[in-house]
Amino acid sequence: DKAGVDSARRAQELDPLSLIANAVFARVLFFDGRYDEAIAQSRKTLEMDENVFLARLILGRNLAKKGDHDTAIAELERLREVPGGNSETTSLLAHTLASAGRTAEAGKRLGEMIQLSQKRYVQPYDIAVVHVGLGNVDAAFEWLERAYHDRNHQIPLIATVPEFEGLRTDPRWNGFAGRFESRR
């Protein structure tokens, strides 16, 4: 929303060399649907320091949203090389692979995440993101239900997450979004 964008812009203006302020500004632009501006802001941040994880993650998400799947995949793959990478990166990569029609690769990443979840905690929210990309609507809702019960920190933002657009036409969406919104 406008207030969020204005606040993030102000923080960036107050400390223009802050990597966090610049990356967060890109993230806020992304969630406001201002993809071109978010791409420019992400790149500006990465020019300051190419290792800003959030800026690269947001750049990959923006590029995917704009349909530049090959570049988005390259950016997200690059993040998977970072030590301590997380399931969010893998889920967004798999979602983008699926959106690009590379469903076998996306399915392989999903399998890796599910296998890993048997050894350590993997956020159900991230697994839901992959299922949405693959068009597995019922599975996506199942994993979102798990994320809700796990009190995933991203649930309150679910209505603004572009990767979930594919679920918003499903009759179950309003019930889910309403429950998530009530947890704010």
Side-chain angles (χ1 to χ4, degrees):
D1 70 347
K2 184 175 176 3
V5 171
D6 289 346
S7 293
R9 177 179 285 118
R10 182 74 178 131
Q12 187 271 336
E13 289 170 350
L14 288 171
D15 192 355
L17 299 179
S18 167
L19 297 172
I20 289 294
N22 277 283
V24 167
F25 185 34
R27 184 178 190 269
V28 170
L29 289 167
F30 171 72
F31 279 103
D32 198 46
R34 296 163 66 169
Y35 305 121
D36 291 329
E37 291 173 75
I39 289 169
Q41 183 61 40
S42 295
R43 287 186 170 142
K44 175 183 170 188
T45 306
L46 291 167
E47 285 173 13
M48 295 166 64
D49 184 339
E50 69 179 25
N51 297 312
V52 179
F53 185 90
L54 179 60
R56 194 162 304 284
L57 183 72
I58 293 301
L59 177 59
R61 289 176 83 178
N62 275 285
L63 292 166
K65 186 66 185 148
K66 295 281 294 175
D68 187 355
H69 294 113
D70 290 341
T71 309
I73 289 166
E75 291 294 341
L76 294 168
E77 282 282 6
R78 190 170 172 185
L79 283 177
R80 283 178 37 95
E81 305 299 319
V82 174
N86 59 32
S87 61
E88 179 183 21
T89 304
T90 302
S91 73
L92 292 169
L93 172 61
H95 185 280
T96 304
L97 287 165
S99 297
R102 295 164 60 177
T103 56
E105 290 173 77
K108 180 181 176 194
R109 299 284 188 224
L110 176 61
E112 291 169 4
M113 292 175 73
I114 291 173
Q115 185 176 21
L116 182 61
S117 74
Q118 295 170 6
K119 296 175 186 156
R120 69 176 175 88
Y121 183 75
V122 173
Q123 294 187 62
Y125 178 96
D126 292 333
I127 293 174
V129 168
V130 181
H131 279 296
V132 172
L134 288 167
N136 303 335
V137 174
D138 291 339
F141 277 111
E142 270 179 47
W143 285 95
L144 282 174
E145 184 69 37
R146 292 180 192 188
Y148 176 80
H149 288 290
D150 280 1
R151 299 185 178 274
N152 182 281
H153 69 281
Q154 295 171 310
I155 291 296
L157 300 174
I158 196 165
T160 63
V161 175
E163 287 84 7
F164 288 114
E165 283 176 352
L167 296 182
R168 294 192 182 116
T169 57
D170 189 285
R172 295 171 283 187
W173 177 256
N174 288 337
F176 265 77
R179 282 191 330 183
F180 300 152
E181 287 294 313
S182 70
R183 291 213 6 221
R184 280 188 166 183

